[in-house]
Amino acid sequence: LCWGAGVFFGVMIAGGVTGAHLNPAVSVTMALRKELEWSMVLPYFFAQFLGAFVASAVMFLNYSPAMYHYARKCCDGTDSPFYDGCREDTAHAWTSFPQRYESVGYGFADQLIGTAILLGGISAIIDAKQRRPHPPAGPFTVAASVGALVVAIGMSMGYNAGYPINPARDFGPRVFCWMAGWGDYVFKAGDMWWWVPIVAPLLGGPLGSLTYWSFVEVWLPQDAP
């Protein structure tokens, strides 16, 4: 629920300025739909990554005492959250890793499907033709709907890998963790998992939007009644 609330407020805050592009998969998808200039994609990527990185630093400052307390009480042989035997637990609070049973291939499919559902849902939410003859969905409705969609994806698909479904939300915190003390563990863990939450969502987002367009949007009336 907290992730959904965070997305809700993020969309409400940034919607009128940037269209609430909190996710590079959204930006790529909207560019492919010709609803965003391609010249804006890389600046959006940088802003999304920077936002996730700075947020990670703020949370690190806030939760450092809790991490060290956890290390002293729950990790064998160390009082540091960055060492073997403890970093596996503490790093997961910032970025994603697959479950031990999850291979890279199945994890890739997990992220592809999850982001396809996200962008298919967003495409439906913002499609004004869905609401005719009523006005298009307002900012509050869009934000609440996207937040609920993220909650639904997390509750139904989050177990395998924590449902990053957002390259910036995963890579920004991962780079921060690398710099903050976890080192190259965050890039080597999970059979070099780090690239999966970047590549799979960038493919899954357009796939989901294309699926919505092919089976729903293209069949809706194009002109207002």
Side-chain angles (χ1 to χ4, degrees):
L1 292 177
C2 290
W3 274 112
V7 170
F8 169 78
F9 285 108
V11 173
M12 289 294 294
I13 292 168
V17 180
T18 66
H21 285 232
L22 311 179
N23 185 340
V26 173
S27 300
V28 167
T29 301
M30 293 301 123
L32 289 170
R33 291 175 58 94
K34 299 182 179 180
E35 297 179 17
L36 177 70
E37 295 291 335
W38 278 105
S39 62
M40 296 300 297
V41 171
L42 285 181
Y44 274 30
F45 277 15
F46 177 75
Q48 291 153 350
F49 168 82
L50 184 62
F53 183 90
V54 171
S56 297
V58 172
M59 290 299 98
F60 181 83
L61 178 64
N62 188 57
Y63 284 106
S64 285
M67 283 197 309
Y68 280 94
H69 176 76
Y70 176 83
R72 288 191 297 269
K73 296 294 184 180
C74 302
C75 299
D76 295 332
T78 181
D79 59 357
S80 171
F82 306 121
Y83 294 159
D84 286 343
C86 200
R87 63 185 180 181
E88 293 82 355
D89 295 331
T90 55
H92 285 237
W94 270 263
T95 191
S96 74
F97 300 93
Q99 295 277 11
R100 288 183 174 85
Y101 62 78
E102 187 85 342
S103 68
V104 169
Y106 277 105
F108 191 96
D110 176 89
Q111 290 304 292
L112 186 80
I113 295 168
T115 317
I117 294 171
L118 176 68
L119 266 298
I122 290 175
S123 297
I125 291 166
I126 65 175
D127 188 355
K129 296 187 294 295
Q130 282 277 20
R131 292 179 57 84
R132 288 175 178 168
H134 305 290
F140 182 90
T141 301
V142 171
S145 299
V146 174
L149 176 60
V150 169
V151 171
I153 294 171
M155 293 180 71
S156 61
M157 299 188 65
Y159 186 73
N160 287 334
Y163 83 109
I165 59 174
N166 181 336
R169 164 260 180 274
D170 191 83
F171 191 62
R174 195 176 299 274
V175 172
F176 173 81
C177 287
W178 172 67
M179 296 174 63
W182 283 274
D184 59 4
Y185 165 78
V186 296
F187 289 102
K188 292 181 177 179
D191 293 328
M192 308 291 286
W193 160 263
W194 68 270
W195 64 272
V196 173
I198 299 174
V199 177
L202 293 176
L203 297 176
L207 176 62
S209 187
L210 177 62
T211 302
Y212 172 78
W213 181 85
S214 300
F215 290 95
V216 180
E217 185 176 351
V218 73
W219 302 102
L220 295 173
Q222 299 301 308
D223 298 317

